[in-house]
Amino acid sequence: MEVTGVSAPTVTVCISSSLNTFRSEKQYSRSLTMAEFKCKLELLLYGVDDKFYSKLDQEDALLGSYPVDDGRRIHLIDHSGARLGEYEDVSWVEKYTISQEACDQRQDTVCFFLKRSKLGRYNEEERAQQEAEATQASSIPVGSRWEVWAAGHQGTIMYVGLTDFKPGYWIGVRYDEPLGKNDGSVNGKRYFECQAKYGAFVKPAEDYGLDEI
């Protein structure tokens, strides 16, 4: 093989592999021997247009002796028997697990922080409120007619359940008149269908005055 003369001591190439679907850009010294560069991998040189140039298989040759220029791609072929995507599939990664009992004894966990701060499932008042809301919400059937007496508006129940815009249970109401705030959607997520300004959401609590009509 004819050795080509180059002036730049390093070259930037894209590296692809038979084991994954992505490419990475790397910079290498042209003075590396192929033995140092190759190790146990088979190297194939491709151009920017993905045209195959040659195998990089002479272990005593320098990287710079091959027609390696900036932007070209070096493809690695693994002969270990590993399959494509094996190192991208996180389902193959062994997960660290800890029992609830062991977690409760540690003081450096999210569970400990939540318990100490009385947040989430460790906030008994909040849990009681959520349970009360769930009970109240379960007694309000979708399609029934109700009046929000605090506002004096009548309408039809269109949605009952949890939402993304605020925690807890919410009741979606389609008013008989354009007295609402939305069209049944909030922040781009639709919960029910209605005309603009006919939709509203209220909490399933007594102080909101949801009376069946």
Side-chain angles (χ1 to χ4, degrees):
M1 169 178 284
E2 180 182 354
V3 177
T4 58
V6 292
S7 56
T10 61
V11 63
T12 301
V13 295
C14 291
I15 302 295
S16 60
S17 171
S18 61
L19 290 182
N20 52 52
T21 56
F22 58 84
R23 301 180 181 184
S24 60
E25 190 175 87
K26 301 289 186 180
Q27 187 178 74
Y28 295 101
S29 170
R30 294 180 190 268
S31 63
L32 285 174
T33 66
M34 295 315 301
E36 294 171 324
F37 188 48
K38 177 181 175 182
C39 294
K40 296 182 179 180
L41 298 174
E42 181 180 350
L43 308 180
L44 304 179
L45 178 62
Y46 289 83
V48 178
D49 55 357
D50 275 347
K51 174 185 176 182
F52 174 73
Y53 277 86
S54 67
K55 286 188 176 182
L56 308 183
D57 54 2
Q58 296 186 28
E59 296 190 357
D60 58 344
L62 300 181
L63 177 62
S65 67
Y66 289 92
V68 179
D69 292 318
D70 291 342
R72 293 190 174 177
R73 177 169 63 94
I74 295 176
H75 183 66
L76 314 179
I77 297 181
D78 187 281
H79 295 290
S80 66
R83 62 182 181 82
L84 175 64
E86 180 172 339
Y87 302 116
E88 299 176 64
D89 188 354
V90 296
S91 66
W92 286 72
V93 180
E94 184 178 356
K95 308 298 189 299
Y96 173 76
T97 58
I98 184 173
S99 66
Q100 187 62 50
E101 182 180 357
C103 182
D104 292 339
Q105 295 176 353
R106 297 183 57 170
Q107 298 184 6
D108 58 348
T109 64
V110 175
C111 292
F112 178 80
F113 172 77
L114 293 176
K115 184 184 297 185
R116 183 184 61 184
S117 305
K118 295 183 178 180
L119 298 174
R121 60 193 176 105
Y122 298 102
N123 187 326
E124 295 183 2
E125 182 178 344
E126 184 177 327
R127 285 181 58 189
Q129 180 181 351
Q130 290 178 349
E131 291 175 359
E133 283 187 359
T135 300
Q136 292 169 338
S138 64
S139 65
I140 302 175
V142 172
S144 59
R145 296 279 298 164
W146 290 71
E147 178 180 11
V148 184
W149 54 257
H153 306 331
Q154 294 183 354
T156 302
I157 303 299
M158 302 296 293
Y159 177 84
V160 178
L162 300 173
T163 66
D164 290 344
F165 58 84
K166 281 188 178 180
Y169 284 81
W170 288 84
I171 308 300
V173 183
R174 183 186 65 201
Y175 288 140
D176 296 341
E177 300 178 54
L179 302 171
K181 297 182 178 180
N182 55 61
D183 62 351
S185 64
V186 179
N187 297 332
K189 180 172 181 177
R190 179 161 300 282
Y191 296 91
F192 61 91
E193 297 282 349
C194 73
Q195 293 179 302
K197 301 297 183 181
Y198 277 77
F201 288 86
V202 297
K203 297 292 283 183
E206 293 180 0
D207 55 352
Y208 278 81
L210 277 172
D211 290 334
E212 190 169 11
I213 57 177

